[in-house]
Amino acid sequence: MRWVKWILPAILAVNGAVMILVPAWWYPRVPGVIETGAFNDHFVRDIGAAFLACALAMGWALKDPVRGLGAAAASATFLCLHAVIHLIMPFCGTSVPWPLLARDFPGVFLPAILSVLIVRSCRRRAAKVEA
């Protein structure tokens, strides 16, 4: 079951790569993205690079929890801050926020939660190695 921890980095890597390689294809296919404003090729690629960096950081920490822990913590920080933005923004508009939060749960909130769990797991593994 160790492979389960690799699902998040794999999804982040695929999403980031698609955002970088085919941003115009990615943009209308992710629920809620088109409601955020006009398509901006450069911006989508920038965010794709952030997701790809998160994937690499998480993968490094899963492979080497002692040396990769800081990178995974930075990755989790980005994913959690991204989730906070998605948590706050629905309450700033005129629409009912709950459907928006439910829509964003699998692609925004769940990755943030899983990233924190991966960091905690890597911290425990690193502590065992250093003990």
Side-chain angles (χ1 to χ4, degrees):
M1 280 301 254
R2 289 183 180 182
W3 63 269
V4 171
K5 292 179 182 179
W6 288 92
I7 293 173
L8 179 61
I11 290 171
L12 292 172
V14 168
N15 185 53
V18 171
M19 290 173 79
I20 291 168
L21 297 172
V22 284
W25 180 89
W26 176 90
Y27 189 77
R29 285 169 177 75
V30 178
V33 171
I34 58 173
E35 285 99 33
T36 64
F39 171 70
N40 181 324
D41 181 79
H42 181 96
F43 186 69
V44 173
R45 289 175 196 261
D46 282 348
I47 301 303
F51 279 112
L52 195 53
C54 287
L56 294 171
M58 286 289 170
W60 180 20
L62 288 171
K63 203 79 165 129
D64 184 352
V66 174
R67 291 187 289 201
L69 183 59
S75 172
T77 300
F78 167 77
L79 293 171
C80 289
L81 289 172
H82 178 231
V84 167
I85 292 166
H86 280 259
L87 184 63
I88 294 169
M89 290 305 293
F91 292 97
C92 297
T94 57
S95 60
V96 179
W98 308 116
L100 302 176
L101 295 174
R103 176 202 67 202
D104 289 347
F105 183 79
V108 177
F109 301 113
L110 187 57
I113 293 165
L114 293 175
S115 71
V116 170
L117 294 175
I118 288 173
V119 169
R120 284 183 56 195
S121 170
C122 289
R123 247 178 66 200
R124 283 194 296 267
R125 286 178 47 215
K128 286 179 185 177
V129 169
E130 291 177 341

